[in-house]
């Protein structure tokens, strides 16, 4: 992008947690858990194949028809490999956040 203008789409901050992570604001609607195996089976049905390094969604809870709560975790092998490569923020985290949408699509 030589000589072009930059557009800021998002701003964030990464910092170590000072204490336990607080619960996000309560989400309304019926709560329906989605098993990890069901989430990734739904991904396969729509043509998305996630290998073990990118299966970061540990728990999905659907809230109503348009919201999902996720618990993400990097698989140990992926975490160790990426740390050895000097990764500060693993791209699998952001991909995992998007994987939660699969639960909404498949519901």
């Amino acid at each position: 992008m030589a000589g072009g203008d930059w557009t800021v789409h998002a701003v964030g901050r990464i910092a170590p947690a000072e204490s336990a992570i607080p619960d996000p604001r309560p989400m309304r609607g019926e709560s329906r858990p989605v098993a990890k195996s069901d989430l990734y089976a739904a991904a396969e049905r729509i043509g998305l194949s996630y290998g073990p390094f990118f299966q970061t969604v540990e728990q999905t809870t659907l809230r109503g028809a348009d919201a999902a709560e996720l618990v993400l975790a990097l698989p140990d092998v992926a975490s160790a490999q990426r740390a050895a490569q000097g990764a500060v923020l693993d791209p699998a985290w952001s991909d995992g956040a998007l994987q939660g949408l699969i639960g909404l699509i498949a519901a």
Side-chain angles (χ1 to χ4, degrees):
M1 183 165 196
D5 292 328
W6 288 89
T7 302
V8 176
H9 293 281
V11 176
R13 182 175 63 102
I14 300 171
E18 295 176 11
S19 62
I21 298 172
D23 287 334
R25 69 180 169 88
M27 298 183 83
R28 302 189 197 300
E30 179 184 331
S31 171
R32 288 182 302 154
V34 177
K36 180 176 181 171
S37 58
D38 292 342
L39 179 78
Y40 288 106
E44 287 282 341
R45 285 194 300 275
I46 60 173
L48 300 171
S49 180
Y50 290 96
F53 281 19
F54 285 93
Q55 290 186 10
T56 57
V57 179
E58 291 297 317
Q59 180 180 331
T60 303
T61 303
L62 300 180
R63 301 285 184 171
D66 61 356
E69 293 178 13
L70 305 174
V71 174
L72 304 177
L74 285 179
D76 290 338
V77 65
S79 184
Q81 181 181 21
R82 301 248 170 62
Q85 295 171 344
V88 176
L89 179 62
D90 195 297
W93 287 114
S94 56
D95 188 62
L98 294 173
Q99 290 173 25
L101 297 175
I102 295 166
L104 293 173
I105 293 168

